[in-house]
Amino acid sequence: MELRVNGKPYSVNCDPSEMLVWVLRDDLGLTGTKMGCGAGICGACTIHISGVPVRSCVTPISAAVGLEITTIEGLATILPDGSEKLHPLQQAFIDEQVPQCAWCISGQIMTAAAFLKENPHPKPHEIDTALENNYCRCGCYVRIRAAVEVAAKELEASA
Ligand code: FES
Ligand code: FES
């Protein structure tokens, strides 16, 4: 099956019903996407398909053929000199020292990235609502919200 991930084409030899999380991690080596509950509940495995956040643990690869898949590895911008500029959310999660174990973080960032595209000037309670189905077992919710607020300001300043 032909997939397009982070702007690159891939050919994978998998059953169409295989879940994307395993194809991304095991076949393509994109281990930034994490497996948590495996039931579409916790949000740890969130990626984008055509810019829409989806839970890759319950999304078969057949649902993504012909569409653009973006993972946390594809969120940064590649500059003309080949270096990488982190997405403002990635930078803010570092600067605000959000992660504890970090297992939930790529899912938090991918969900927040899609949210900020639709809601560039979010109020704190809107951030909480947008991320309420992304669970952080370490309880980093206050820092997660702070990082999203910082990233929103950065995105606005660079628009
Ligand atoms: S691992 Fe996919 S939602 Fe929890
Ligand atoms: S940082 Fe550990 S689950 Fe969120």
Side-chain angles (χ1 to χ4, degrees):
M1 305 188 77
E2 307 302 318
L3 296 177
R4 191 161 177 84
V5 185
N6 299 332
K8 295 184 195 156
Y10 292 90
S11 187
V12 293
N13 186 17
C14 298
D15 188 289
S17 64
E18 186 153 355
M19 296 303 159
L20 262 170
V21 65
W22 298 124
V23 176
L24 293 169
R25 289 180 56 83
D26 296 346
D27 294 84
L28 306 187
L30 297 170
T31 53
T33 300
K34 304 303 184 197
M35 172 60 123
C37 64
I41 296 169
C42 76
C45 65
T46 302
I47 60 167
H48 295 175
I49 298 179
S50 299
V52 177
V54 300
R55 302 206 159 183
S56 61
C57 71
V58 290
T59 304
I61 57 171
S62 59
V65 171
L67 303 175
E68 183 64 39
I69 300 167
T70 307
T71 69
I72 190 76
E73 290 91 344
L75 211 56
T77 302
I78 306 298
L79 299 175
D81 67 0
S83 64
E84 198 176 64
K85 179 174 169 30
L86 292 180
H87 186 284
L89 276 165
Q90 292 172 305
Q91 192 61 57
F93 270 63
I94 294 170
D95 294 344
E96 297 298 314
Q97 300 185 27
V98 175
Q100 191 165 317
C101 80
W103 201 257
C104 72
I105 297 297
S106 64
Q108 304 277 5
I109 289 176
M110 295 307 285
T111 302
F115 166 67
L116 288 181
K117 270 198 175 162
E118 299 295 320
N119 303 276
H121 309 293
K123 295 185 171 53
H125 74 273
E126 293 172 326
I127 297 171
D128 291 344
T129 300
L131 292 171
E132 68 184 359
N133 291 318
N134 281 75
Y135 301 155
C136 176
R137 293 160 182 81
C138 301
C140 303
Y141 295 110
V142 172
R143 296 201 301 275
I144 289 169
R145 185 208 297 146
V148 175
E149 287 181 303
V150 168
K153 289 190 181 117
E154 175 61 28
L155 283 163
E156 184 179 16
S158 61

